[in-house]
Amino acid sequence: MEIIGNDHFSIGVPIKADPEFKAMLFAAAITHIDGNKSIDYIYRRYGKEYLEAFDDDKRCPSGSLKELVLHVGKTAEGLAKRLSSGTFTSQQPTGCIYAVNVLIRMQSTFHAISQLILGGLALEAEAVIRQGIEQCAWSLAVKGLDDVHDVNKTSPTKSVSRLKQSFPGAGHIYGLLSDSAHASPSSQSRFIERDGDQVAIAIRSTDHCRQALLYLVMLLDTYANIAESIINHMGVPTPTFEPPVQPHDYNTINRYTALFNDADLVRYSTWRGA
C-alpha cells in the first residue's frame, strides 16, 4: 500500500494499482471535501494532472529511491512465500519452526519500513530496521535448537554477534541503528540546521532517508541469507507459472549506486567484509 492525499486527507491504496484508479480516487476525495456530489467537474479539469502525478514512469523511474524500496519489498515477499510453501522434515529441530514463523511475519516489518522511507521518516525507519536485524539474528540463533526452553532463553540482542559470520560489519551497523532507535544526538544531527539563532528541524524528507535506505538493503541481505539457509533444508516446490526462483543477489546496491555517496558505499563494503 501507499498513502496518497494532501494536507486535508490521506488514502491508502495498493502501490501497483492503476494510475487512473488513483487519480479518480483522489478526485473523489477532493470533490467530497469541496462539498460537491459529482467528481465529473474535478476530473475533467484536473484529471490529466492527477494521472501524470500517479504515472509510475515519472514517480518511480529506473534507479530511483522508490524503485529500490519496492525491489527490496518484492524480494522479501518472495522469500516469505517460499518459506510459507515449504514443509518441515522430522530431522529439522524445533527451533527452525520458530525461526520460520518470525521470518514469514517479517513481511510486515519490511512493509512498515517501506512506508516510513517513502514518507520521508528516516529516524523512525532506522528504528524499525534495528528491530528487523534483531528478528533475523534471533532466527539465526534458534534455527538449530531442538529444546523449546533454549529457544525461549535466546536473546535477540545478544544474537546479533552471530550475524558477523556472514556480515562482518553487523556489530557496527547495529550500533548505529541503536543510536537511531534511542534518538541519540549523533543520529539526530542530520535533521537539524542552525543559522545564527534560528534552528530548522526536518521531520519528513526523502533526502534524509539515504542512510535508512542503505540499512534497508543490509536488512534484506541478512533476511535473505538466513531464509535461504533454511529453504535449502526444506521441501519447497518450484513455482509452476513463474520463472525459477534465483538466490538473492547480494550486489543489489550496485544497481543503485547513484542514490548513495562514497561514504555509504564504503560502509556497505565494510558490512560485507569486502
Side-chain angles (χ1 to χ4, degrees):
M1 301 289 287
E2 69 173 316
I3 306 300
I4 64 174
N6 57 21
D7 292 340
H8 304 289
F9 69 90
S10 298
I11 307 172
V13 296
I15 287 179
K16 297 180 181 179
D18 183 80
E20 186 174 1
F21 171 78
K22 295 178 183 178
M24 294 189 71
L25 196 61
F26 190 87
I30 294 293
T31 300
H32 177 74
I33 288 173
D34 288 346
N36 299 319
K37 294 183 178 180
S38 173
I39 72 169
D40 292 348
Y41 170 75
I42 292 292
Y43 199 72
R44 280 199 308 269
R45 183 168 182 178
Y46 301 107
K48 183 178 179 181
E49 177 184 329
Y50 294 165
L51 280 170
E52 290 180 353
F54 296 118
D55 184 347
D56 282 342
D57 289 337
K58 296 180 180 179
R59 299 172 70 227
C60 187
S62 177
S64 66
L65 176 151
K66 185 174 181 180
E67 185 190 56
L68 176 53
V69 169
L70 296 181
H71 170 75
V72 170
K74 183 178 179 180
T75 304
E77 180 183 2
L79 287 164
K81 286 182 176 178
R82 291 172 66 192
L83 287 167
S84 297
S85 65
T87 55
F88 293 100
T89 65
S90 58
Q91 287 76 32
Q92 286 171 303
T94 302
C96 190
I97 299 173
Y98 290 94
V100 168
N101 175 51
V102 168
L103 293 173
I104 291 173
R105 301 173 77 91
M106 275 189 68
Q107 288 182 88
S108 299
T109 304
F110 279 98
H111 176 72
I113 296 166
S114 297
Q115 292 297 312
L116 290 168
I117 290 178
L118 293 174
L121 296 168
L123 197 65
E124 294 75 10
E126 289 165 20
V128 182
I129 292 171
R130 176 182 182 266
Q131 177 186 338
I133 291 290
E134 289 183 350
Q135 289 173 302
C136 287
W138 186 87
S139 298
L140 177 63
V142 306
K143 71 184 183 72
L145 301 178
D146 205 26
D147 190 319
V148 175
H149 296 292
D150 291 337
V151 172
N152 193 47
K153 291 187 297 183
T154 302
S155 165
T157 304
K158 293 180 180 179
S159 299
V160 171
S161 60
R162 291 174 174 263
L163 299 178
K164 296 179 183 179
Q165 298 172 13
S166 299
F167 305 102
H172 174 64
I173 295 301
Y174 181 72
L176 295 175
L177 290 169
S178 294
D179 288 342
S180 296
H182 300 144
S184 68
S186 62
S187 68
Q188 294 188 49
S189 60
R190 66 186 189 272
F191 307 111
I192 299 174
E193 293 184 6
R194 289 184 170 84
D195 184 5
D197 295 332
Q198 300 298 312
V199 177
I201 299 176
I203 303 299
R204 290 180 179 269
S205 172
T206 52
D207 291 339
H208 290 102
C209 285
R210 192 190 72 248
Q211 287 185 32
L213 195 57
L214 183 72
Y215 296 142
L216 178 59
V217 174
M218 294 176 182
L219 176 60
L220 178 64
D221 283 351
T222 312
Y223 180 78
N225 181 267
I226 299 167
E228 288 174 349
S229 71
I230 293 176
I231 289 169
N232 289 338
H233 294 90
M234 294 177 72
V236 179
T238 302
T240 306
F241 301 105
E242 299 178 7
V245 179
Q246 301 297 323
H248 172 60
D249 178 5
Y250 291 92
N251 293 316
T252 298
I253 203 168
N254 290 345
R255 301 199 299 273
Y256 298 92
T257 52
L259 296 174
F260 305 101
N261 60 33
D262 291 342
D264 295 328
L265 299 177
V266 168
R267 181 171 291 175
Y268 185 75
S269 295
T270 302
W271 159 261
R272 295 290 311 282

